[in-house]
Amino acid sequence: MPSLPGRAVGLVVLLFIVNGLANAVFTPFAPAILVERGVSPTWLGVMGALVSVVYVGLAGAWGHLADVLLGRGRALALAIGLAAALLGVFALPLPLVGIGLTYMAFSTVYGVLFPLQDALAVNTLPDPGRQYGQVRALQSGAFAVGSLLAGAIFERLGYGAAVPVFIVLALPVIVVALVIPDAERARLSARRRGGAMREALALQPRLPRVLLALGLANVGVFAMLTFLPLLIDRLGGRSGDIGLAVAVTAAVEVAALPIVSRLLVRFGARAVVTLGSGLLAAVFAGLALAPSPEVVIVVAVLYGVAWSAMWAGAVTTMGLLLPPALQGSGQGLLSLATAGVSSFVANVLGGVLWSGLGPLALFGLAAGCAAVGAATAWSSLAPDGPTMGVAEVIAT
């Protein structure tokens, strides 16, 4: 695919930054907001699991919508527009059932935005293997600043401003997504049913093993998204500590992601993803044993490094395993394995374990999954990873 003009790359950078700010003001604090509105920790796990089940179906349909019907940019704009509208309903004085249902609808729709964002980046950047980490680092920086400021504000004023600020920040995301030049839409085989994701799986038989490795590594990632705020609260922390933990992680990603991009070019995805997954196992073990919010924040530093290696390697690998016309579905499959299957496992087991054995069992299990994921990544990914061309990767 020929290089796109610098303006297109600039628009992708702007998309990542604004979306990082929007993501920072609500999602890190959502578990605490839900508990404040009467949702129990057990039901948080149940809700997360239900979101994962619905997401499995929605991710495939939205990937097809993006690759075949609307294009990646329009599908992304539609997703965040619907998410903002649902969050507006969530802010109303609803009964407990209404709170749960609107939040689950928001989480499901908002989740399809991120694989489309990555698809636009992979298709637009002239050298995704080297440049994706740098762009993603800018988003992490915006997320760090946003979550730190939001945590400080919420500690003084409460969580009431979270929803309106998210809605305001969603508007420029929509505008930018609509003007980013997009790759051509996919033309599916007339003999193959199942949409664009089925086409992607048929084109690259290595995908199921790669997705299994990444799914295992991400069980603890999604356990953290739901239960890290509750862990900090359980250890005596406050909303400012939650914001600080999230901001520290994102700040570390700002420095780590560009370095990871260089490692990907030099050593390939096999080594980088395996290293990241192994470090995640150490992170989750640390959370299982953390005695105070301060220790959680220290562990968050290592998490930023580990997640950067695992995720940048995953996204760039998908960019090379599949052609540009199927990137919406390829990144969607990655999200389905993580935000769908991994999140389901994390929330179902997390809700049960948190109410019983607590963080030791939950994050101990997550550490074991990440360790197995590291071993699976080493055995599944091609040794040369992203240094190979698309045709060469497919041929392996």
Side-chain angles (χ1 to χ4, degrees):
M1 180 180 175
S3 297
L4 293 170
R7 177 177 175 271
V9 174
L11 288 171
V12 167
V13 170
L14 182 59
L15 174 69
F16 272 64
I17 291 173
V18 180
N19 194 31
L21 289 172
N23 193 32
V25 300
F26 180 77
T27 53
F29 307 96
I33 293 172
L34 288 164
V35 169
E36 187 177 83
R37 296 186 69 177
V39 178
S40 71
T42 299
W43 276 102
L44 277 180
V46 173
M47 288 165 57
L50 291 173
V51 167
S52 304
V53 171
V54 178
Y55 185 84
V56 168
L58 184 64
W62 217 278
H64 183 87
L65 185 74
D67 282 340
V68 179
L69 300 177
L70 292 182
R72 272 66 50 175
R74 291 179 181 178
L76 190 157
L78 178 60
I80 195 168
L82 286 175
L86 288 165
L87 205 55
V89 176
F90 170 82
L92 299 175
L94 302 172
L96 193 58
V97 172
I99 292 170
L101 290 175
T102 52
Y103 174 75
M104 287 190 294
F106 159 78
S107 296
T108 305
V109 174
Y110 190 50
V112 302
L113 180 153
F114 294 98
L116 296 177
Q117 167 193 268
D118 290 337
L120 285 169
V122 167
N123 284 348
T124 303
L125 298 173
D127 186 357
R130 189 183 299 273
Q131 296 172 319
Y132 172 81
Q134 299 171 18
V135 174
R136 187 62 178 77
L138 293 174
Q139 185 171 66
S140 295
F143 185 84
V145 173
S147 59
L148 191 61
L149 291 175
I153 292 171
F154 297 158
E155 189 167 318
R156 290 174 175 267
L157 304 178
Y159 292 115
V163 170
V165 174
F166 177 91
I167 293 173
V168 169
L169 290 171
L171 298 177
V173 176
I174 293 172
V175 173
V176 175
L178 290 175
V179 297
I180 294 176
D182 200 2
E184 65 179 4
R185 297 177 194 173
R187 297 180 180 180
L188 306 184
S189 171
R191 297 181 179 180
R192 184 174 292 121
R193 297 180 180 179
M197 281 194 174
R198 180 69 179 274
E199 189 86 5
L201 289 167
L203 179 64
Q204 179 47 265
R206 184 183 293 275
L207 272 177
R209 286 179 290 159
V210 173
L211 293 172
L212 174 62
L214 296 169
L216 287 167
N218 274 273
V219 170
V221 172
F222 285 90
M224 284 184 64
L225 289 176
T226 300
F227 295 100
L228 185 65
L230 304 186
L231 175 62
I232 292 174
D233 182 70
R234 182 176 181 140
L235 296 173
R238 298 184 295 176
S239 61
D241 297 309
I242 297 172
L244 180 58
V246 174
V248 164
T249 296
V252 171
E253 291 168 9
V254 173
L257 280 162
I259 296 172
V260 167
S261 291
R262 297 189 186 97
L263 294 177
L264 282 166
V265 173
R266 182 168 183 178
F267 298 107
R270 186 189 195 192
V272 172
V273 174
T274 301
L275 175 63
S277 299
L279 288 176
L280 283 174
V283 166
F284 302 142
L287 292 177
L289 300 171
S292 67
E294 291 76 17
V295 173
V296 172
I297 293 169
V298 171
V299 173
V301 174
L302 180 58
Y303 175 76
V305 175
W307 183 88
S308 296
M310 181 275 300
W311 192 253
V315 170
T316 53
T317 296
M318 288 295 167
L320 288 159
L321 289 174
L322 294 168
L326 288 172
Q327 276 306 300
S329 296
Q331 302 297 338
L333 279 166
L334 174 59
S335 186
L336 189 152
T338 56
V341 178
S342 299
S343 178
F344 178 83
V345 173
N347 284 288
V348 168
L349 294 178
V352 174
L353 294 175
W354 189 268
S355 299
L357 300 174
L360 178 62
L362 172 58
F363 289 111
L365 175 65
C369 288
V372 175
T376 307
W378 183 260
S379 64
S380 300
L381 292 169
D384 292 329
T387 59
M388 297 177 1
V390 175
E392 294 172 282
V393 176
I394 293 173
T396 61

